Amino acid sequence: MVMGCAPYPAGAGQEDSSWTITASDGKGVLPNDHSAPPALGACAEFPPALPASAQGTIRSVDTGGEKAVALTFDMCELAVSTTGCDMEILSFLRQKGVPATLFMGGKWMRTHAGRVIQIMRESLFEIGSHAWTHGNFGIMTEQAMRGQIEGAQAQYALLRERALREAAEQGCQPPDIPVCTGLFRLPYGRCSDRALEILAEYGLKVIQWDVPAESGKDNASPAVARAAARMVKPGSIVLMHANLVPRGTAALVRGLVAELESQGYRFVKVSELLGMGEPRLFREGYFSRPGDNLPLDSRFGFDGTGRKKP
Ligand SMILES: [Zn+2]
């Protein structure tokens, strides 16, 4: 894959064959690597710890009525399998110049390393952590939570170094890639008081959502996009996936972007949204109402990663 040097916005609105879908982007196509995550050494720089007042899950931001909305996409990958990279979504956003925040699992980053480097060099997109192998922070041990957090950060740091090195080798300007991500998304939206304390200790802001846009069934139906658009308010954070696990999300994104544009909404990354007002903080993580994700605790192995035993 040959990548041009020019970052967004120079590339926006232009066809670029490096952003079209290939066979290796498909769900489960790339082999699963069971080995341990890289050591944290590569990424000593977590953001500063958050004060107790900033602890919690952020579901939206009080923008004072300004019609800004953050589209977010999770790239989840359990320990036991690999998922895909939805290039239909990413190339659509890029051609439209719509920014987005992508919450990547650490192992997902390792599986899809080439795509991550490409995304890191595209300033339209921002990367957050989605833990190492989708561990469930409502039921994991403290040690296991730390492993999930540190593994994803270490993988990010390794790929950032590679992205900078490759850009230099190609004679490109060094891309502006944050040293570490300061954003974290809880797998399954599950958490606990102890999880929130640990994440704050690592300086990670826990970004949830107030708009779970996917229906879980046929996301390509225009009714799903209309229903999602009705949930959006100024300062909303929209949850979707870009790992080809739920079906039809690319069609949902097209419909939702068109609908929100017609309502006068502006799309921003999560970090920009956080700069626009006070975050609305909660102690719990959930999809639409507290407790609605508890049934997932027993469906993905003993700790959410898909593994049957430690
Ligand atoms: Zn996930």
Side-chain angles (χ1 to χ4, degrees):
M1 183 184 352
V2 176
M3 242 185 288
C5 288
Y8 173 81
Q14 294 171 17
E15 289 289 341
D16 182 337
S17 62
S18 66
W19 289 85
T20 54
I21 195 157
T22 66
S24 57
D25 294 311
K27 178 185 167 188
V29 171
L30 292 170
N32 194 27
D33 177 353
H34 298 271
S35 65
L40 188 58
C43 182
E45 294 184 51
F46 273 94
L50 301 176
S53 60
Q55 263 182 41
T57 68
I58 297 169
R59 297 189 70 83
S60 62
V61 171
D62 181 359
T63 60
E66 188 174 341
K67 288 180 121 178
V69 57
L71 301 184
T72 72
F73 297 87
D74 291 0
M75 276 106 149
C76 325
E77 197 169 278
L78 303 182
V80 293
S81 57
T82 65
T83 58
C85 181
D86 198 330
M87 294 305 290
E88 191 181 344
I89 292 176
L90 299 185
S91 57
F92 167 75
L93 294 172
R94 194 165 169 278
Q95 282 183 25
K96 289 277 292 178
V98 173
T101 302
L102 313 175
F103 289 97
M104 298 177 177
K107 186 170 76 71
W108 187 94
M109 289 189 228
R110 186 170 70 185
T111 305
H112 301 273
R115 286 307 193 192
V116 176
I117 286 167
Q118 184 178 7
I119 291 165
M120 282 178 162
R121 290 175 64 173
E122 171 58 76
S123 63
L124 190 62
F125 300 128
E126 161 176 72
I127 296 176
S129 168
H130 195 37
W132 174 247
T133 43
H134 219 254
N136 183 324
F137 280 51
I139 57 178
M140 278 192 141
T141 64
E142 172 168 341
Q143 191 191 8
M145 286 191 267
R146 290 183 185 279
Q148 290 280 319
I149 293 166
E150 293 178 6
Q153 286 283 12
Q155 186 63 54
Y156 173 95
L158 273 183
L159 293 178
R160 175 180 179 271
E161 279 177 19
R162 215 177 109 187
L164 293 172
R165 196 169 60 238
E166 287 181 7
E169 284 165 4
Q170 292 162 7
C172 300
Q173 288 287 317
D176 184 15
I177 310 169
V179 174
C180 277
T181 179
L183 306 175
F184 184 88
R185 172 151 286 158
L186 292 158
Y188 314 104
R190 289 281 286 120
C191 75
S192 61
D193 283 346
R194 188 65 191 127
L196 294 179
E197 286 169 11
I198 291 170
L199 287 159
E201 184 191 308
Y202 283 101
L204 295 170
K205 292 179 178 158
V206 181
I207 309 301
Q208 295 294 102
W209 56 81
D210 62 341
V211 179
E214 289 153 334
S215 75
K217 298 182 194 113
D218 179 13
N219 293 304
S221 158
V224 178
R226 283 197 299 270
R230 276 196 297 274
M231 284 188 267
V232 171
K233 297 186 269 299
S236 275
I237 299 171
V238 180
L239 165 67
M240 291 180 278
H241 291 77
N243 61 345
L244 291 168
V245 170
R247 292 203 186 126
T249 300
L252 163 60
V253 174
R254 288 176 203 278
L256 184 59
V257 165
E259 180 64 32
L260 293 177
E261 273 181 341
S262 75
Q263 292 180 22
Y265 274 93
R266 182 162 75 83
F267 300 99
V268 295
K269 297 177 210 175
V270 165
S271 59
E272 294 169 56
L273 192 69
L274 292 172
M276 294 175 68
E278 285 300 310
R280 297 191 178 95
L281 286 169
F282 296 80
R283 294 301 294 182
E284 293 163 297
Y286 51 89
F287 285 94
S288 301
R289 63 196 72 79
D292 64 3
N293 50 357
L294 287 172
L296 299 176
D297 285 6
S298 56
R299 281 188 43 198
F300 298 92
F302 79 101
D303 63 353
T305 68
R307 293 178 306 153
K308 297 294 177 223
K309 50 180 186 284

